[in-house]
Structure formats: structure tokens, C-alpha cells
Amino acid sequence: GNSVTQMEGPVTLSEEAFLTINCTYTATGYPSLFWYVQYPGEGLQLLLKATKADDKGSNKGFEATYRKETTSFHLEKGSVQVSDSAVYFCALRGGGYQKVTFGTGTKLQVIP
Amino acid sequence: NAGVTQTPKFRILKIGQSMTLQCTQDMNHNYMYWYRQDPGMGLKLIYYSVGAGITDKGEVPNGYNVSRSTTEDFPLRLELAAPSQTSVYFCASTTDRVDSTIYFGEGSWLTVV
């Protein structure tokens, strides 16, 4: 079946630091890949997505590239802000696409 | 532009009581889901539905029931509440396209005492 593996958190960074959150996946066929963000006390909201190999999703300074050869979809941001503090979830959909498979989430804390 | 609406937002239940979490979406999505999120943990799929009249179990269905009589509504019923069901519950919806965004409600915080 499908699976998503995210790096363990929490991740603590100083403001303006570079962020990478690793995500690898296992799936048959050609899934779509997503990053969702959950701010404290809120539901999940889409951050970015990519639907085919070599696509780059981007939003609010965050980027992730769909790498089929390494089955990865790592999230990056060049300069994080305190307002980026949240939990980030990697997800995929495909190969029996009724279900969406989420990673366990990575908590990011950005300190001033 | 309501999206996915869940009610109630907060609820305290006593052990053995029952209740229904309501979920409504106004985007004409066929696919709907219920997840639970325990403190500091990821999402676990409880039930899902691919259309009116069709439901199926997810990873953790025990103690819950669902129905899908219309495209818009997907209520989750908790029978005989137990402390282990203390959690945050999220409803979500999407289309049948593999590249479609999944839209989430704001969550329902449930405590069983």
C-alpha cells in the first residue's frame, strides 16, 4: 500500500534560517503529492502540491519538487519567519486514490 | 464561500454517552473523510465515502458510525463514548481527481470524561 515517511520533529530554527523537511513516499503508479500546514488550533490547509514527476510546487516562499527517481518531495524555504511556526504534513494521493495518505507531521518552531 | 463546515467545535461527553459530529460541504465533492488527531500525533482515517450511499472503513473505525445520504453531508456518530475517543476530529472533502486539493474543516474538539 501507499505510505509517507517524514522526518521526525520538532524542528527548531532561528528566524531567517534555511528550512528543509524531508518527505519520502512509497506508492504505485503516479501519485499526486501535497504539503499541508496546520497552525495551532486550526485545521489543515494546502500549502503546495505537485502532480507529476519533476513538477515544483511553490507557495509563500516554500517549495517542493516531485522527485520520482528518489521518491521524495522535500519541503524547503530559504528564510523562515516566526509566523511559519506550525505542523507540516506531507501527503500523497494515488493508486486507489479514494484514500489520502498522510505523514506523521513535523512540528516547526521558529524563534526570533 | 463556506467550504467544509463542522459542528460542534467543542464538546464534553460523559463515558457511555453518544453524539453526532456534523459535517457539511458546499463544493459538490463526492469524496468525504473523517480523521482523528490525538495530541501531538498525525491523522488517522476513521471512515470515508466516495459518494452518497457509499461508505467504507478506514484505519480506526471501531466505536464510530457514519452515513452519507446526500452529497453535502457526512455525519460521524460516536456510540458509547470512551475516554480513548478524546481527540480532535477533522472532516475533509475532495473530488475524484487524483490531483485535487483536499479541503478540511476547522476541527471538533471532543473530550470524554
Side-chain angles (χ1 to χ4, degrees), chain A residues 2-105:
Chain A
N2 297 340
S3 67
V4 175
T5 302
Q6 278 183 247
M7 67 185 287
E8 294 282 334
V11 174
T12 302
L13 294 174
S14 297
E15 207 165 21
E16 299 184 3
F18 185 86
L19 169 71
T20 300
I21 300 178
N22 290 337
C23 172
T24 58
Y25 68 89
T26 302
T28 55
Y30 300 90
S32 291
L33 302 174
F34 306 82
W35 277 101
Y36 279 81
V37 59
Q38 184 181 31
Y39 298 104
E42 298 184 10
L44 279 72
Q45 55 186 277
L46 179 69
L47 180 60
L48 54 84
K49 68 179 180 181
T51 59
K52 60 182 187 296
D54 300 324
D55 265 3
K56 177 184 285 188
S58 61
N59 187 25
K60 300 180 181 179
F62 291 89
E63 293 183 340
T65 301
Y66 189 140
R67 301 287 189 199
K68 191 161 179 65
E69 64 275 13
T70 55
T71 61
S72 64
F73 193 54
H74 305 321
L75 182 67
E76 296 181 334
K77 186 175 185 182
S79 176
V80 294
Q81 305 300 312
V82 172
S83 57
D84 294 327
S85 298
V87 180
Y88 293 81
F89 291 89
C90 185
L92 74 81
R93 189 177 178 198
Y97 52 85
Q98 297 91 334
K99 297 181 185 177
V100 182
T101 303
F102 287 89
T104 53

Side-chain angles (χ1 to χ4, degrees), chain B residues 1-2 11 13 22 30-32 34 51 53 55 57 64 87 93 95 100:
Chain B
N1 198 6
R11 181 73 186 268
L13 275 182
Q22 301 291 345
N30 282 335
Y31 287 25
M32 295 188 74
W34 274 107
T55 63
K57 297 178 180 178
Y64 306 94
S87 191
S93 74
T95 75
S100 290

Side-chain angles (χ1 to χ4, degrees), chain B residues 6-84:
Chain B
Q6 291 181 233
T7 56
K9 194 168 178 70
F10 300 97
R11 181 73 186 268
I12 298 175
L13 275 182
K14 294 184 178 179
I15 294 172
Q17 287 185 322
S18 299
M19 73 161 296
T20 299
L21 299 176
Q22 301 291 345
C23 176
T24 299
Q25 53 88 11
D26 62 358
M27 297 172 281
N28 200 33
H29 287 166
N30 282 335
Y31 287 25
M32 295 188 74
Y33 309 86
W34 274 107
Y35 294 91
R36 61 176 285 174
Q37 184 180 33
D38 297 333
M41 305 293 285
L43 299 171
K44 294 183 179 178
L45 182 63
I46 305 172
Y47 271 96
Y48 68 101
S49 170
V50 299
I54 306 170
T55 63
D56 207 347
K57 297 178 180 178
E59 306 168 68
V60 290
N62 291 344
Y64 306 94
N65 274 301
V66 294
S67 60
R68 185 93 183 271
S69 57
T70 66
T71 298
E72 295 78 18
D73 300 312
F74 189 42
L76 176 72
R77 181 149 182 88
L78 282 71
E79 304 281 3
L80 300 174
S84 61

